[in-house]
Every structure is written in C-alpha cells, then in structure tokens.
Amino acid sequence: MMKNMTLEITTPAVLFPTVSLLLLAYTNRFLALTAIVRQMDSSGEIEHEFYQVKNLRKRLKYIKRMQYFGVFSLLLCAVSMLFLFFQINFIGYISFGISLVSLIISLIFSLLEIQISLEALRIHLNYNENDNEIKKKNK
C-alpha cells in the first residue's frame, strides 16, 4: 500500500497555514477563558459558582490538550517535511500520518470544549433568569 503512495514535501506544507490558524483560534479561546476566570466574583450563589468553576476547570483542561495536540501536529508536520526532504520517505509518511491523527485529536478536544462552553452559557442564563424572577417578585 505504501509503495504506490507518493507524498511530496509540499503535501505536509499545506497543513502549516491551517494548523497555525487553528492554534491562533485556540489561543483566543484560552485568552477569553482566562479573562472570565480573572473577572469572577465570589459574591454570588454558591451552587452557581461551583458549577461555573467546575466547568471552567474542564474547559481549561480541554484547551490545554487541544493546544498540545495542535502544536504536536505542526511539529510532526515539519519533521515529516524534513524526512521527505532527505528522501527518508517511510519515516516521512509515518510522521505525517501521526501529525494528521494529532490534528484530529486536537479538533475533537475543540468540539468538546465548545460543548462545555455552551453548557456554561446555559448555566449562566438559567442563573440570571432565576435571579431576575426573584428580583421581580421582591418589587
């Protein structure tokens, strides 16, 4: 199967802009999350805060993993190009394949983080909705 497959040095190079933009998006998500953590106020309802903190910890863990796998993918892509340049094709194929798998894992963690982010918004909206109802009743 590998004997018929050809992988040019330019093939892994195609992933460079994609992975670079992906890492930039991941960094933006991380920065947004750190801003939320820094602005957290502990004067609210304990249960609400517990769920939000738990949610934020999980999101940070996933963002860390998606960044690690994204960087690993980019690194292996470069290693693949290096081996292909020196015509060590088998190792070039293997490192490119692992690079693609790492990119897929990174994207899966990204999807999981997005799902958790949506859950955090749901928790926040429910809390605000309940808080507004209580304030209306007290007026």
Side-chain angles (χ1 to χ4, degrees):
M1 182 172 119
M2 287 242 209
K3 293 178 183 177
N4 296 334
M5 188 173 96
T6 59
L7 184 63
E8 301 291 324
I9 195 168
T10 56
T11 304
V14 172
L15 282 185
F16 272 96
T18 303
V19 175
S20 297
L21 288 174
L22 194 61
L23 290 174
L24 181 62
Y26 291 171
T27 301
N28 286 340
R29 291 193 68 77
F30 177 74
L31 291 175
L33 194 59
T34 56
I36 291 170
V37 170
R38 289 187 179 123
Q39 291 177 359
M40 285 187 73
D41 182 14
S42 62
S43 62
E45 183 183 315
I46 300 295
E47 184 180 355
H48 170 71
E49 289 176 13
F50 171 76
Y51 287 121
Q52 288 292 34
V53 168
K54 183 179 173 185
N55 192 296
L56 289 170
R57 286 185 193 280
K58 199 171 193 180
R59 286 179 66 194
L60 283 170
K61 180 175 69 172
Y62 283 171
I63 288 174
K64 179 178 76 172
R65 289 179 181 171
M66 47 196 238
Q67 286 178 330
Y68 283 169
F69 280 104
V71 169
F72 188 64
S73 175
L74 187 60
L75 179 65
L76 282 178
C77 204
V79 167
S80 173
M81 290 175 62
L82 184 69
F83 283 117
L84 292 172
F85 178 76
F86 288 115
Q87 297 180 349
I88 307 172
N89 292 339
F90 181 73
I91 298 175
Y93 292 160
I94 297 298
S95 57
F96 184 63
I98 296 170
S99 171
L100 291 175
V101 170
S102 296
L103 181 59
I104 290 168
I105 292 170
S106 176
L107 291 171
I108 289 169
F109 277 117
S110 177
L111 284 173
L112 291 171
E113 193 275 331
I114 289 169
Q115 184 180 7
I116 293 168
S117 176
L118 291 172
E119 178 65 17
L121 289 174
R122 188 192 64 75
I123 291 169
H124 188 69
L125 288 173
N126 286 344
Y127 174 75
N128 284 340
E129 184 178 53
N130 291 339
D131 193 40
N132 286 338
E133 287 177 12
I134 291 170
K135 287 179 183 177
K136 285 180 184 177
K137 287 180 183 178
N138 291 337
K139 284 187 178 181

